[in-house]
Every structure is written in structure tokens, then in C-alpha cells.
Amino acid sequence: MSVEPQSNPLSRRQFVARAAAAGVAVSVAGSVEALYTAQPALGTSGPKIGYGPLIEDPKGMLDLPRGFKYNVLSREGTVRPDGLQTPSRFDGMGTFPDSHGGNRLVRNHECSPTATIKVVAPPERTYDPAGAGGTSTLVVDRHNNATKEFVSLGGSAINCSGGITPWRTWLTCEETELKAGQSGYTKDHGFIFEVDPYDDRRNNHPFPLKEMGRFQHEAVAIDPSTGIVYETEDAFVAPLGGFYRFLPNRPRGGWGSLRAGGELQAMSIAGTPDLSVFQEAGTVLGNVEWVKVPDPLATSESVRAQDYAKPITGGYKLEGCWWGTRDRCVYFVSSFARTELGPQQNHDGQVWKYDPRKRTLRLEVIFTRPTPGSDNPEFDAPDNITMSPYGGLMMCEDGLGDQHILGTTEDGEVFKFARNRVNNGTPEAPEYGELAGAGFSADGRTMFFNVYTPGITYAITGPWRRRR
């Protein structure tokens, strides 16, 4: 995900551009099959060689394989019926089935005070009047037409990604550690908020889930059998971000249950401060422990920098996170690592699996570049990841050059599924075409995702079962 300018002296794109470290190909090693067979509704393999070459879009917006088509659901700057403009910086998003055969989307706006169009919400739905971030809710009919759009949370900051709860709400995460008095904010930020996609009255009087920690949140995933919430920290300055779990006082869940609090813990693996050192898929780390976070509110020290009973294990830019309902394990992504930024080793993406019963952490997939290359790499490191109902991973790019939705075949090869033509991620352009928020409808017929800026939300349909 993108990062807040005020607290990041060297952004990901700036680093890659300066170092020219991007390669022209990515190798995917490891048990890709383990990722998509973790979901019982998914196929047992990806397509043989993808869905075929991308066809140039005559409208210059989105290139897709033959037979696929898109529908634009929402655009940044559109004037809604309430007279306000759709806010900027479309990021993570949750997809929920609607009772009328359509879907409801809750979309994050990763807005800081510098955003082109800030989130504006009524006072009863605003956490901090100085906050520019929040969420929008879109109601989409069964024909993939957006019939309604409104702000469901306002006054938050840098809403990056999040996660869907077992009780069908969206947990939106702030990716910042700024406090009241910094950048004009009147309240502390760096929290998780719960948003109801169905009953918008519940979204009045936003409630920060403070005991879940105040740090640079990225994503969450919940174990439905225990209610434990797993959280990733997208830290881009030292020390490395942590992987956390939250033990709720009300583990049975339900709307508002997380407000009852609980205990936040950080992952600790003896002798392993940095996950980047592991470069071989299939590596298993045993005896995973969890240590209590001394000060979840980070009143004086960042959560990841506090004095723990045992040293905690970190990773660079820990991002996507999801729960495997078949194998009852949690997966999370380290988007990339470069030694110049603090990690001990380089990589272009890791996918880790934590098994709560065995207390083991396994490196399932690693992305590597064998040679240095150009400023417009064919593939760049993964960010948001979702599993296709038809097998394989679907990955959102966030880097330099042309930005794609990428897929994986049954053999673990990477193929291009979609290419953003509206803009790209070249260093010369302040706007960039990061893709984010990918997810499928409950019936599997539609994939939804966002372009970060200028914000666009797409619905994609087509011959998903086709094997080319």
C-alpha cells in the first residue's frame, strides 16, 4: 500500500527508482497450491497458462483478456446526489453479498491532509474533524451497476487495508502513528474501526478499537472458531513491523464485540528478528510464541519498538492477511525487502503461513528477481492478494511502470490478467496507478478492484472457467 508522506522519508517507489533494482521477471517458488486450496470454495488448481494475451482497450482504461469486460462503478471526483464529491485514494476494499442478488462494497480512502479530495462525512459519522480519510459504501445491483454510494466513516486517517469479519462487517485500518497535534490532527490515529455495510446507522459515532493497538496497521484476518484477530504492520522505517494477534474478551464475535477489548500480543520466534533472511520456500520455523504488548496505545514508544519480555520477530512491509478456512491457518504477505531500508536480505515478496495448532510459521511462496533490470519491470512485488474461486492467486501490483492484476497458473507461473492504462507508476508522475482491494463476489461471477489514483472502482466479468 501507499504510505503517508509526512512519516516516510524514502518511499517505496523512490527507493526502487533510485536503486534501479527492479528486474524484468519474477520467479515464484513454493507451494502456491497450499494458498488456494486453503479455501473450500476454490478450485484445486489455477488455469494452465492464464487467460490469454491482454487486448488493448480502445477506451484506454483497462486491458483484459479476450471475453472479459469491465464496468466502472465509481470515480474519484464524481458529484454524488448529496452534492459532495467522491473522495480520493481508493485502497483496500471488502465485498459483501446483498439480499437482492448484488453486492455491497466498503472501500477505504487512504487520505492524509494532502489528499486532492478529502473524505467529508456528517458530524455524527466523523471521528476527528481534521482527519481526511475514511470509507465509502457502494451498493451494486446484480447487473453490476452502482445504485448508491455514500461515506460510511469519516475523520480517520490513511485508511489502507483491513479485513472482513465472520459476522460480515469491515475492519478498516489506519496506516499511521501520528498523534493529536501532528499534521493538524485533533485526536490520536493508528487504530482500527468497524464499519457495517448493511446497517449504516451503526456507523454513527465512530469508535476506535484502541486495545487492538495503535500502529501502522495494514490488514487483519480472524479465526472464526476462536475469534482471534491477526494483524499486520506495514512499517517502512526501522524497526521492522510486527505480526500480532488480538485475543478478544468476547470471542464469539458479532457487531461491536471488539469494543469489549482484549489482549494484544506480538509474534516471537527465538533467534529470528527478521523474516527476510529466509529465502527458500518450504522453510518452517517452529515454536512460535506470543508475547504481550506492554503498551498497545504506544503512548511513548511505537508498539514494535517497546521493551518486550522476549524479542519479537519482524518483517519489512507486512501487508495482506487472510484466513484459510480449510486448513485453519492464517496467511500474510511481506511485500518486498531491501537491505538499504533495514532488512538483512532482499526479496520481492514473501507469503507466510502460521499454523495456530502446530505453532509453526512456514514460508509458502517467495518472489525473486534473478537479475537487475529497468525502471518498468514486467512484474513488481505483490501487495493485495486474493484467491480466485477458479483456482490460483490474483495479485495487485504496487510499484513502478505498468500496473497489473497478476494471476498464477497451476504450476506457479505468473501471468497478466489486467493492465491499468489510465496511468502508471513512473517516478515522473506524482499520480500512480497502484491496483488494490481485489475481491470476488459470493457467486464468483465478478471480481472487484480499485485503481488508487485517480480513484476508479471496477467490476470485471467474463469466462472465468476458461482454460487456455
Side-chain angles (χ1 to χ4, degrees):
M1 289 297 155
S2 304
V3 297
E4 183 176 11
Q6 293 92 330
S7 56
N8 181 21
L10 184 63
S11 74
R12 178 176 190 273
R13 287 182 185 77
Q14 289 170 331
F15 169 75
V16 175
R18 294 179 190 178
V24 296
V26 166
S27 300
V28 182
S31 180
V32 175
E33 180 181 359
L35 304 184
Y36 50 79
T37 57
Q39 306 292 334
L42 307 184
T44 57
S45 66
K48 292 287 186 182
I49 57 171
Y51 291 100
L54 302 182
I55 307 301
E56 186 172 319
D57 178 14
K59 297 181 180 179
M61 292 190 66
L62 190 70
D63 297 343
L64 295 168
R66 179 179 57 84
F68 286 87
K69 62 181 180 180
Y70 65 83
N71 191 27
V72 174
L73 301 178
S74 177
R75 285 178 182 263
E76 171 185 337
T78 301
V79 178
R80 302 190 307 262
D82 60 9
L84 299 175
Q85 290 181 295
T86 298
S88 303
R89 301 183 184 178
F90 293 10
D91 215 318
M93 186 165 65
T95 301
F96 304 85
D98 188 81
S99 59
H100 301 293
N103 294 274
R104 288 175 177 249
L105 311 177
V106 182
R107 180 185 62 211
N108 284 355
H109 296 277
E110 196 185 39
C111 292
S112 68
T114 63
T116 304
I117 306 173
K118 302 174 180 61
V119 176
V120 178
E124 67 273 13
R125 205 164 297 164
T126 300
Y127 167 66
D128 177 358
T135 63
S136 293
T137 298
L138 283 72
V139 180
V140 182
D141 67 19
R142 60 190 180 92
H143 303 293
N144 284 327
N145 297 308
T147 61
K148 193 176 182 181
E149 180 177 342
F150 55 89
V151 171
S152 41
L153 171 68
S156 53
I158 326 293
N159 294 72
C160 194
S161 190
I164 296 174
T165 69
W167 50 92
R168 290 185 176 178
T169 61
W170 174 246
L171 296 181
T172 180
C173 298
E174 294 186 308
E175 187 189 13
T176 182
E177 295 178 328
L178 294 181
K179 294 183 177 182
Q182 296 177 300
S183 295
Y185 294 127
T186 65
K187 294 183 179 180
D188 291 351
H189 289 271
F191 297 115
I192 297 174
F193 295 83
E194 185 173 18
V195 179
D196 193 317
Y198 300 105
D199 186 353
D200 202 47
R201 295 170 296 181
R202 288 177 166 177
N203 298 324
N204 291 336
H205 313 296
F207 188 94
L209 299 170
K210 295 183 177 181
E211 293 189 36
M212 296 183 74
R214 194 183 71 81
F215 55 85
Q216 292 172 192
H217 288 278
E218 176 72 24
V220 299
I222 298 179
D223 179 347
S225 63
T226 64
I228 293 175
V229 184
Y230 293 91
E231 310 175 28
T232 56
E233 182 177 22
D234 187 4
F236 32 80
V237 293
L240 297 174
F243 184 56
Y244 305 93
R245 72 176 187 180
F246 177 71
L247 309 180
N249 291 331
R250 289 175 54 187
R252 296 184 63 181
W255 167 258
S257 61
L258 296 173
R259 299 186 181 189
E263 182 175 298
L264 183 67
Q265 301 174 335
M267 182 176 68
S268 174
I269 304 173
T272 308
D274 181 359
L275 293 176
S276 74
V277 300
F278 301 102
Q279 302 279 310
E280 184 175 350
T283 298
V284 177
L285 308 177
N287 298 318
V288 174
E289 297 184 81
W290 297 91
V291 293
K292 183 178 180 179
V293 174
D295 178 17
L297 289 177
T299 53
S300 59
E301 291 283 349
S302 295
V303 166
R304 63 187 184 277
Q306 293 176 19
D307 186 14
Y308 285 87
K310 295 182 178 181
I312 67 173
T313 299
Y316 194 75
K317 288 188 69 64
L318 301 186
E319 305 215 30
C321 187
W322 68 95
W323 179 257
T325 54
R326 174 174 291 176
D327 60 5
R328 292 184 292 170
C329 296
V330 64
Y331 296 82
F332 65 93
V333 173
S334 170
S335 186
F336 79 105
R338 293 289 183 270
T339 55
E340 290 87 337
L341 299 177
Q344 296 180 42
Q345 296 291 332
N346 296 327
H347 65 74
D348 284 273
Q350 295 173 324
V351 181
W352 291 90
K353 178 178 76 173
Y354 171 65
D355 188 327
R357 292 159 297 168
K358 297 179 180 179
R359 293 174 52 205
T360 58
L361 188 69
R362 175 185 168 97
L363 180 58
E364 294 290 344
V365 177
I366 185 163
F367 297 74
T368 58
R369 298 184 194 280
T371 58
S374 70
D375 289 337
N376 188 8
E378 184 176 4
F379 302 132
D380 213 346
D383 198 319
N384 279 183
I385 290 182
T386 190
M387 271 74 77
S388 166
Y390 309 99
L393 295 173
M394 303 298 282
M395 303 175 287
C396 297
E397 275 194 299
D398 172 16
L400 290 172
D402 296 336
Q403 300 296 281
H404 300 88
I405 298 286
L406 306 175
T408 57
T409 69
E410 62 183 16
D411 295 324
E413 297 296 324
V414 177
F415 65 88
K416 299 174 183 177
F417 174 75
R419 176 170 53 234
N420 176 23
R421 290 273 305 284
V422 174
N423 60 5
N424 57 45
T426 59
E428 294 78 15
E431 301 85 14
Y432 42 85
E434 169 190 346
L435 303 178
F440 281 83
S441 59
D443 62 11
R445 296 179 181 178
T446 306
M447 183 173 72
F448 302 99
F449 67 88
N450 298 319
V451 172
Y452 183 85
T453 186
I456 304 171
T457 298
Y458 287 105
I460 309 297
T461 55
W464 292 106
R465 296 186 183 277
R466 184 178 73 205
R467 295 289 184 263
R468 293 248 351 232

